[in-house]
Structure formats: C-alpha cells, structure tokens
Amino acid sequence: KRIHSGIPRAIIDTLTNIVGMPSIDEPTKEWDKIAEENDFSNKLVQQARPLTLVCGYGAWKINFNSDISEYPLWEFYDAEFVEYIYQCGVLVGIIFKSFYKNAKNEDFVLLETRYKAQGNSYIEYQLFKLKKGNELQEVNLDAVPELKDIPREKQVITGLNKILAVPSRY
C-alpha cells in the first residue's frame, strides 16, 4: 500500500498532459487500424508515459499473433522488466523479463532477447529458475506449462535489420 500526499501522482499526470499525444507525420489508414487495435492512445497516456516518466525508460515489444489480430500487437514493459543492449553506443537489442510460477510454486524468469545483427532480426528465449540467494539456473522452457507455445530455437527474420521492439526513454 502506498501512502503519500498525492503530489507525485499529480506531477506525473501534469507532465503526461503537457506532453500530449505524438504527431504522426504521414498517418495512413493502416496506421489508424493498428493504433486502434492496440488501443494506443490509452496505453500511451495511462501506462507507458507515466511509467516512463517515473522509471526513466521502458520499451514496447512488437508481437505478431494471427489468432488474435491481423495487425502487430504492442506490449509495454517498464524499466523494471527491460534491459537495453548497446554496442559502441548504439542500441542493438532489448531484453524483456517476464516472471512465472509453475505448479510446484517455483519461481522462474523468462528472458526474451530481441536484437539485430548481420542485417537480420533475432528473437531468443531463455528460462531461468530463481533459486535462493538470487541465484539463477537455466532450465528448459518446458518447466513452465504456460510457455508451451514459445519457439525453442532462435527465431531469425532474414533481411530485417531492426529490433522488434521500440525503446521508450525521456
């Protein structure tokens, strides 16, 4: 339970309202459909911008799931669940951290690394069991039933020299 005067919340709300909505240089009908499908305005104002202002950074993960939508789906992660990968001062990858428990009530962290290299885009998954003393032990993805549909091998998108994620920083 948070107990404070309410001033921090008022500051974040004020800064969020001052910044306003981003302007899209050349919006297309496709952009409008993607933004609507993702409830972009609401996610930006209610989730991404306040968390980025508080934490300093975050990232949008871009997913494709034709069972849910014909458009890319965006998911925001705040600084607590994101790590940036730099090479020579250039952002080349983003690591997303997601936490799980299995039926035995054991704790796990899934590291989803999205990066670009040699003109291609890559996605890799690693699952770690959280042990006592903050020790990590890499385990098979099968240890958590919810991860049954995640690819076991590194995914490669040939010719796409982009990270399938977008940093959010102020």
Side-chain angles (χ1 to χ4, degrees), residues 7-160:
I7 292 174
R9 176 64 187 212
I11 291 169
I12 294 301
D13 288 345
T14 302
L15 289 173
T16 298
N17 292 330
I18 288 170
V19 173
M21 292 303 291
S23 62
I24 308 301
D25 291 340
E26 296 180 30
T28 63
K29 289 180 183 177
E30 197 75 13
W31 162 257
D32 292 338
K33 290 176 187 174
I34 293 170
E36 182 181 334
E37 181 75 17
N38 282 280
D39 194 16
F40 178 64
S41 297
N42 189 44
K43 280 184 184 175
L44 178 67
V45 172
Q46 298 296 318
Q47 183 185 13
R49 186 168 290 145
L51 288 171
T52 302
L53 286 167
V54 169
C55 302
Y57 67 96
W60 292 91
K61 183 165 70 167
I62 303 166
N63 295 310
F64 298 91
N65 186 335
S66 59
D67 293 339
I68 298 172
S69 175
E70 64 181 291
Y71 299 107
L73 299 169
W74 306 330
E75 195 174 352
F76 183 77
Y77 285 70
D78 68 36
E80 192 174 354
F81 305 104
V82 170
E83 297 291 332
Y84 294 150
I85 302 169
Y86 288 95
Q87 287 182 353
C88 302
V90 175
L91 181 68
V92 295
I94 298 177
I95 301 171
F96 294 93
K97 297 180 255 183
S98 301
F99 293 87
Y100 295 91
K101 284 189 180 286
N102 67 3
K104 297 177 188 174
N105 209 29
E106 297 171 313
D107 294 315
F108 296 87
V109 61
L110 176 69
L111 300 183
E112 180 177 344
T113 306
R114 293 171 173 232
Y115 62 98
K116 62 181 181 177
Q118 294 112 22
N120 300 319
S121 180
Y122 298 89
I123 302 174
E124 282 185 62
Y125 300 94
Q126 292 176 288
L127 184 65
F128 294 90
K129 182 177 180 180
L130 299 170
K131 300 176 87 177
K132 292 184 180 173
N134 291 332
E135 189 179 324
L136 297 175
Q137 174 189 358
E138 188 166 5
V139 295
N140 192 309
L141 290 170
D142 296 328
V144 177
E146 296 156 86
L147 304 177
K148 69 178 188 304
D149 295 331
I150 289 184
R152 301 311 193 235
E153 297 150 9
K154 180 188 323 185
Q155 295 179 289
V156 180
I157 301 172
T158 307
L160 180 67

